[in-house]
Amino acid sequence: MDASRDLEKEAAQRARPAMAAILLQRPENRDEKAAVLAPSSPGNGSLHSVASIATITSITTDPDPDLESAKLRGGAKQEKWWSTALQVAVPFFLAGIGTIGAGLTLGVVQEWEVFTDVSALLILVPPLLGLKGNLDMCLASRLSTQANLGKMESWHEIWKMVVGNVAVVQVQAIVAALLVSLFAVSMSAIKDGTFNVNHALLLSAASVTTATSSCFVLDLVMIGVIVVAYRLHMNPDNLATPVAASIGDVVSITLLAQIASSFFRFHDTAYWILLVVIVAYLLLLPIWVFIVLRNQYTRPVLTSGWIPVLSALFISGLGGLVLDSVVEKYKSFVVFQPIINGIGGNLVSVQASRISTMLHQTSLPGIIPPHSTLCVTPWAALFKGLPHASTARILISMNLIGQVVFLFTADYIHWGQSTVTAAFVLSYLTVTLLQVMILLYIAHLLIHLMWKWKVDPDNSSIPFLTAFGDVLGTSLLALAFFFLDTLHLPYNG
């Protein structure tokens, strides 16, 4: 009998935190909460805070691995699969149109005099686009989390978030864009065996001007999307990053080409103008830093958000080297490279933002919630087993459907007729499917690892994921072109 009582007592104690986690969602059940949180007998102790509940809940054993419809603590909402698919689909296909435009734009501007004379510009394109995307998507992830936590009820608070986030993005854009240009110049000098000071100044001035101006415009657009989505009771995690990407790459490539061409006209005769541009942006840095330091929402980002962004720049730079080495052999490569990288980055950013929001809503930094786990198989993370597997299935399916549409559209626009072969379609879809599945799985591992280490994934995960996606997508696409060429089934490039 004593053993039976001990087992019942132990079972009740293990069930209490889980019951509390569910009851915390329902503010009307205060009496039920009190009963669950109160000690059942003297000496059992009590739970004094949500932190205690999260801690005890996280160490209960044998959690149900399939919690797609379970109620999560802290107000986390369970969306219907069709609602998620619909919210993601519209901005996703808009983003696809944008990436097609980016590829076609890059295919045109690579023939411009500035690109042929300053070859480092092609090395600059992938990391610069990656930088812009990382900064914009981190901002979107931060604000989406704040919205889902209910902190956008007051217009005063919204204004503080807007000012702080725009300022911190400008600080990161100035510093990172200058480093990107130095990376491109260095790689070009190593490759060509020569160093041109005027070309270095041109790249630095064009890079920082493009990064800051494109980020400023796109951040305002994205902030508007997040606020409107929140007010319409939609999930900003599903909308913000694809909407920004829909025009982000094409805007950035167009701005880079136009600005670099303008600077190219006088970079040999009046190079001092380029120096003035660079110095002017450096003088603006203290002003933006002052604004960030006075803002509670972005102050931590100024110190913790640098390693991911700067590391991502150098990772993306490897993609630039691949692009520069492949583009001369396969002319059509630049048409599809922004598409595969842009779509992959958009989809993994949606998943990363959703997982990050879920962790913020249902747990505390350093504690993996019981409805998820760090080390899982790809099947559990991508298809069935964990809460966000359903979203991963939607994103994988959407990638396949979208890539077919984007592939034929880009090919027809570029050549004026449909020229794709069955072999190219099969190879292209294989590499893009492989890229997205790898990225989604890495996203699960990386975000949960960051959370366990008490690193905010809103600020740190997306730069690594999109940068790795750029290198992976560019390399896999180059491998597909090379594979078809080896089989004597080359695409028109």
Side-chain angles (χ1 to χ4, degrees), residues 23-59:
L23 291 172
L24 274 170
Q25 295 186 94
R26 307 201 300 267
E28 68 273 16
N29 293 334
R30 293 178 183 174
D31 294 337
E32 293 179 66
K33 288 181 197 175
V36 172
L37 297 178
S40 58
S41 62
N44 283 349
S46 60
L47 301 177
H48 298 291
S49 66
V50 173
S52 300
I53 294 172
T55 304
I56 295 179
T57 303
S58 67
I59 60 174

Side-chain angles (χ1 to χ4, degrees), residues 224-252:
V225 169
I226 293 171
V227 173
V228 171
Y230 177 72
R231 295 292 175 176
L232 295 178
H233 304 290
M234 301 173 72
N235 188 350
D237 283 322
N238 297 333
L239 300 169
T241 53
V243 166
S246 64
I247 57 174
D249 285 350
V250 68
V251 168
S252 297

Side-chain angles (χ1 to χ4, degrees), residues 359-370:
L359 290 172
H360 277 283
Q361 288 179 320
T362 63
S363 186
L364 298 171
I367 302 170
I368 303 296

Side-chain angles (χ1 to χ4, degrees), residues 324-389:
D324 188 53
S325 61
V326 173
V327 67
E328 293 184 3
K329 185 174 183 181
Y330 305 112
K331 294 295 184 182
S332 298
F333 187 85
V334 294
V335 176
F336 300 104
Q337 186 259 358
I339 297 176
I340 189 172
N341 289 350
I343 297 304
N346 294 342
L347 293 178
V348 75
S349 296
V350 170
Q351 183 77 328
S353 186
R354 289 174 62 90
I355 296 175
S356 179
T357 294
M358 179 270 291
L359 290 172
H360 277 283
Q361 288 179 320
T362 63
S363 186
L364 298 171
I367 302 170
I368 303 296
H371 50 77
S372 189
T373 184
L374 173 59
C375 297
V376 295
T377 63
W379 176 264
L382 303 181
F383 297 102
K384 186 172 178 62
L386 293 180
H388 285 282

Side-chain angles (χ1 to χ4, degrees), residues 42-332:
N44 283 349
S46 60
L47 301 177
H48 298 291
S49 66
V50 173
S52 300
I53 294 172
T55 304
I56 295 179
T57 303
S58 67
I59 60 174
T60 56
T61 58
D62 301 327
D64 184 358
D66 191 6
L67 292 173
E68 299 284 41
S69 60
K71 292 182 178 180
L72 303 178
R73 181 173 65 79
K77 298 179 181 178
Q78 293 296 316
E79 298 177 16
K80 300 292 185 181
W81 71 267
W82 55 265
S83 175
T84 301
L86 184 61
Q87 290 181 39
V88 175
V90 175
F92 168 75
F93 281 99
L94 289 176
I97 295 172
T99 55
I100 291 174
L104 296 173
T105 302
L106 184 58
V108 172
V109 300
Q110 69 170 337
E111 305 296 336
W112 290 12
E113 184 182 3
V114 63
F115 278 84
T116 57
D117 192 68
V118 186
S119 60
L121 270 176
L122 276 178
I123 300 177
L124 178 68
V125 169
L128 186 63
L129 294 184
L131 166 66
K132 184 275 307 172
N134 291 336
L135 298 182
D136 289 344
M137 290 176 182
C138 284
L139 179 145
S141 186
R142 287 195 298 268
L143 291 182
S144 295
T145 295
Q146 296 299 324
N148 282 314
L149 292 176
K151 295 184 179 180
M152 283 194 174
E153 295 296 334
S154 166
W155 285 106
H156 176 68
E157 292 302 308
I158 293 175
W159 175 248
K160 287 171 62 177
M161 292 180 196
V162 170
V163 173
N165 277 280
V166 168
V168 77
V169 169
Q170 289 297 303
V171 173
Q172 292 175 323
I174 292 172
V175 176
L178 290 174
L179 292 177
V180 165
S181 64
L182 292 177
F183 173 81
V185 170
S186 301
M187 292 298 100
S188 179
I190 293 172
K191 179 184 174 183
D192 300 334
T194 59
F195 176 77
N196 189 310
V197 176
N198 291 344
H199 286 183
L201 291 174
L202 185 150
L203 257 68
S204 298
S207 177
V208 71
T209 305
T210 301
T212 53
S213 55
S214 62
C215 281
F216 184 81
V217 173
L218 294 172
D219 287 350
L220 294 180
V221 172
M222 195 159 43
I223 289 167
V225 169
I226 293 171
V227 173
V228 171
Y230 177 72
R231 295 292 175 176
L232 295 178
H233 304 290
M234 301 173 72
N235 188 350
D237 283 322
N238 297 333
L239 300 169
T241 53
V243 166
S246 64
I247 57 174
D249 285 350
V250 68
V251 168
S252 297
I253 291 176
T254 303
L255 279 175
L256 176 63
Q258 295 291 346
I259 292 171
S261 295
S262 299
F263 290 161
F264 184 72
R265 296 191 185 99
F266 54 78
H267 80 290
D268 280 330
T269 57
Y271 61 88
W272 60 270
I273 297 178
L274 303 177
L275 281 172
V276 169
V277 171
I278 296 171
V279 171
Y281 277 107
L282 291 176
L283 292 177
L284 284 173
L285 262 180
I287 299 174
W288 292 121
V289 170
F290 177 76
I291 295 173
V292 173
L293 290 177
R294 291 178 58 86
N295 193 289
Q296 68 187 64
Y297 291 104
T298 54
R299 190 182 303 118
V301 183
L302 194 61
T303 55
S304 64
W306 287 104
I307 293 178
V309 171
L310 297 181
S311 300
L313 293 181
F314 293 103
I315 297 173
S316 294
L318 299 177
L321 294 176
V322 175
L323 174 64
D324 188 53
S325 61
V326 173
V327 67
E328 293 184 3
K329 185 174 183 181
Y330 305 112
K331 294 295 184 182
S332 298

